[in-house]
């Protein structure tokens, strides 16, 4: 039986098509998560708990910068963190194993998930639109992975270092629950990955006419405030950490303005040619 064309498909046909793309995307995540579950020792000992050791590259780099600036009293040059990690629930380690594997599976299979999403959307686009969006999956995946690395190597160690050394009384010892530490690493990495998708989001919002470069320029100062608030939420409440996180987000916002302007310019050029 021949496959129906996009114009011949009913609403239920579209839902059926979407269902199969979601099934394939989910299957890709499950397969990747299964592989991650097998290599759990490497994922936890090296990746997840990497930022809990002072030998982590971020701490070593910040320690060298501090020494270069003549700052001797810094937590980045300590021998070890003043806390221990404990598991306080019966199924805590099992739950951490399962959910971390799912998160890892999603990150690894992100390009495939995007491919399935794009395979569902692209038939409804014009041939010229598909041609102009040819690099969507590659660019979106690269931005996502850069964001994940930024969250892992910048946001996570800055947050963990601050919270581990924050003390309201000498009578209190830090004994962090394993699920709390793991959640910090996972959420910081995933959230940063999605934040770095801003240029892609702006591209499509401009394509459908919701956003314009004029709008983005007009509300740039408000965007700056939002970025600073976002930085304050996902980082420790010190100016240096907030600036470190805010700078790449502001750069992404500026890139988004340029992308929006290019989209609008191309649309006007096509209208003139028509």
């Amino acid at each position: 039986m021949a496959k129906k064309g996009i114009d011949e498909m009913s609403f239920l046909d579209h839902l059926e098509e979407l269902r199969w793309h979601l099934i394939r995307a989910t299957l890709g995540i499950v397969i990747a998560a299964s592989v991650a579950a097998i290599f759990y020792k490497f994922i936890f000992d090296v990746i997840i708990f990497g930022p809990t050791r002072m030998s982590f590259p971020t701490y070593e780099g910040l320690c060298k910068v501090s020494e270069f600036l003549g700052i001797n009293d810094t937590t980045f040059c300590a021998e070890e963190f003043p806390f221990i990690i404990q598991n306080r629930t019966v199924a805590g380690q099992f739950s951490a194993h399962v959910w971390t594997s799912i998160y890892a599976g999603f990150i690894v299979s992100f390009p495939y998930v995007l491919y399935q999403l794009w395979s569902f959307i692209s038939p409804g686009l014009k041939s010229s639109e598909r041609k102009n969006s040819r690099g969507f999956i590659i660019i979106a995946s690269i931005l996502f992975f850069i964001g994940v690395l930024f969250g892992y190597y910048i946001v996570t160690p800055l947050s963990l270092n601050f919270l581990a050394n924050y003390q309201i009384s000498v009578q209190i010892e830090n004994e962090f629950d394993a699920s709390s530490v793991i959640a910090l690493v996972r959420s910081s990495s995933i959230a940063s990955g999605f934040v770095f998708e801003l240029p892609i989001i702006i591209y499509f919002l401009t394509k459908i006419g919701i956003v314009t470069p004029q709008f983005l320029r007009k509300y740039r100062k408000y965007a700056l405030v939002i970025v600073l608030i976002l930085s304050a939420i996902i980082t420790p409440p010190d100016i240096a950490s907030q600036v470190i996180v805010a700078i790449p987000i502001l750069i992404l916002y500026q890139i988004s303005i340029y992308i929006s302007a290019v989209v609008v310019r191309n649309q006007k050029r096509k209208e003139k040619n028509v």
Side-chain angles (χ1 to χ4, degrees), residues 19-69:
R19 184 174 76 91
W20 279 108
H21 285 295
L22 291 177
I23 289 174
R24 295 188 191 101
T26 303
L27 184 60
I29 295 174
V30 170
I31 293 174
S34 300
V35 175
I38 296 173
F39 295 97
Y40 70 95
K41 289 186 178 295
F42 173 80
I43 290 177
F44 282 99
D45 292 339
V46 178
I47 299 178
I48 296 295
F49 294 124
T52 66
R53 293 186 285 269
M54 294 308 301
S55 58
F56 194 65
T58 303
Y59 303 133
E60 292 183 343
L62 291 174
C63 178
K64 292 179 181 178
V65 171
S66 300
E67 292 175 347
F68 177 79
L69 296 175

Side-chain angles (χ1 to χ4, degrees), residues 12-145:
L12 291 179
D13 290 331
H14 283 292
L15 286 181
E16 178 67 13
E17 189 72 15
L18 176 61
R19 184 174 76 91
W20 279 108
H21 285 295
L22 291 177
I23 289 174
R24 295 188 191 101
T26 303
L27 184 60
I29 295 174
V30 170
I31 293 174
S34 300
V35 175
I38 296 173
F39 295 97
Y40 70 95
K41 289 186 178 295
F42 173 80
I43 290 177
F44 282 99
D45 292 339
V46 178
I47 299 178
I48 296 295
F49 294 124
T52 66
R53 293 186 285 269
M54 294 308 301
S55 58
F56 194 65
T58 303
Y59 303 133
E60 292 183 343
L62 291 174
C63 178
K64 292 179 181 178
V65 171
S66 300
E67 292 175 347
F68 177 79
L69 296 175
I71 303 174
N72 298 320
D73 186 17
T74 175
T75 56
F76 295 122
C77 298
E79 293 184 1
E80 61 180 14
F81 275 119
F83 69 84
I84 60 174
I85 301 176
Q86 296 189 35
N87 175 54
R88 302 175 186 272
T89 58
V90 175
Q93 295 194 56
F94 177 77
S95 297
H97 187 183
V98 172
W99 282 107
T100 301
S101 298
I102 293 174
Y103 274 84
F106 175 77
I107 292 174
V108 172
S109 63
F110 185 76
Y112 180 72
V113 173
L114 275 184
Y115 171 75
Q116 291 300 326
L117 175 63
W118 183 248
S119 297
F120 174 73
I121 296 174
S122 59
L125 301 177
K126 298 178 181 178
S127 58
S128 59
E129 292 175 331
R130 287 197 296 269
K131 182 179 179 181
N132 292 333
S133 306
R134 189 174 297 169
F136 162 72
I137 297 175
I138 296 175
I139 296 174
S141 299
I142 291 174
L143 287 174
F144 179 77
F145 290 136

